[in-house]
Amino acid sequence: MTRIAIIGGHGKVALLLSALLTGEGHSVTSFIRNPEHTDDVAGTGATPLVLDVENSTTAALADALAGHDAVVWSAGAGGGNPERTYAVDRDAAIRSMDAAAQAGVDRYIMVSYFGAGKDHGVPEDNSFFAYAEAKAAADEYLRGTGLAWTILGPGALTDKPGTGLIDVDPSPEGDRDTSRANTAIVAAAVLDLPQTAGRTIEFRDGTLPVAAALEPRA
């Protein structure tokens, strides 16, 4: 059994992921900001932990992460407020990476998005700009840590059923639809695949079984 911490535990992907992981026999602690969400999280089999990561220190996060084997960042400010977007998607995410290192939690999975990076191409007057900038900074910081990191870049998220079939590194010009259920399946899979450490994996709903799609390419 592996102890896994999910930060942003009430998000749609996180709830699906925690149900998958607990179903596989793992122990999951889901970090949530709103205590009213405890029942939803507990319903997946995870243990809810109320912790406001936006306003938590690195030391407090390290204390909460201590004893876990892996951490999945699936939190987000939800857009709308650029200041809060930077505070959560960039600053709190970076603190969680430092906290994981302090707590001795080596494995770190970042749920990012397809196309994230400094060359995201989102104009400054677009409401998505702050999120794109924040995720680019957080992903870049993670790549520079000594953690065994994997960055996941799902395409445009949908609530379609999970097929367990994806395409990795799809063309940016093609269809980007990616079900949240498939995103959770991929996150669960990489946690069991230490060889995916050090990889940025962009994907969408597709044609290959997840395990085959995640195999390193020659």
Side-chain angles (χ1 to χ4, degrees), residues 171-184:
S171 166
E173 281 73 46
D175 179 19
R176 293 193 182 195
D177 281 1
T178 314
S179 71
R180 290 179 173 86
N182 274 347
T183 303

Side-chain angles (χ1 to χ4, degrees), residues 17 20 109 150-154 164-168 178-193 196 201-205 209-211 213-214:
L17 175 60
L20 283 175
I109 312 300
T150 303
I151 297 172
L152 301 181
L165 302 173
I166 61 170
D167 290 334
V168 170
T178 314
S179 71
R180 290 179 173 86
N182 274 347
T183 303
I185 290 168
V186 172
V190 299
L191 282 164
D192 280 334
L193 295 170
T196 59
I201 301 169
E202 296 190 316
F203 62 96
R204 67 177 182 196
D205 292 344
V210 167
L214 293 178

Side-chain angles (χ1 to χ4, degrees), residues 17-165:
L17 175 60
S18 60
L20 283 175
L21 293 173
T22 58
E24 293 173 356
H26 298 296
S27 172
V28 177
T29 306
S30 283
F31 293 24
I32 53 175
R33 181 174 59 88
N34 188 343
E36 294 181 2
H37 293 158
T38 55
D39 288 347
D40 292 341
V41 168
T44 69
T47 300
L49 176 66
V50 178
L51 185 71
D52 180 2
V53 296
E54 180 183 356
N55 296 299
S56 293
T57 64
T58 302
L61 286 167
D63 285 344
L65 290 173
H68 290 86
D69 302 299
V71 56
V72 179
W73 177 275
S74 190
N81 182 330
E83 183 177 336
R84 186 157 184 266
T85 296
Y86 286 118
V88 176
D89 293 280
R90 182 190 63 195
D91 301 341
I94 287 172
R95 284 198 302 276
S96 77
M97 300 166 200
D98 293 341
Q102 287 185 22
V105 184
D106 186 53
R107 192 74 170 105
Y108 191 107
I109 312 300
M110 167 62 75
V111 180
S112 189
Y113 71 94
F114 183 26
K118 284 186 172 182
D119 56 349
H120 54 70
V122 180
E124 286 192 43
D125 59 356
N126 189 298
S127 61
F128 192 69
F129 179 78
Y131 180 76
E133 285 284 289
K135 294 300 281 186
D139 291 357
E140 182 180 22
Y141 188 91
L142 180 57
R143 293 186 182 103
T145 68
L147 298 170
W149 57 266
T150 303
I151 297 172
L152 301 181
L157 294 174
T158 74
D159 288 321
K160 293 177 182 177
T163 61
L165 302 173

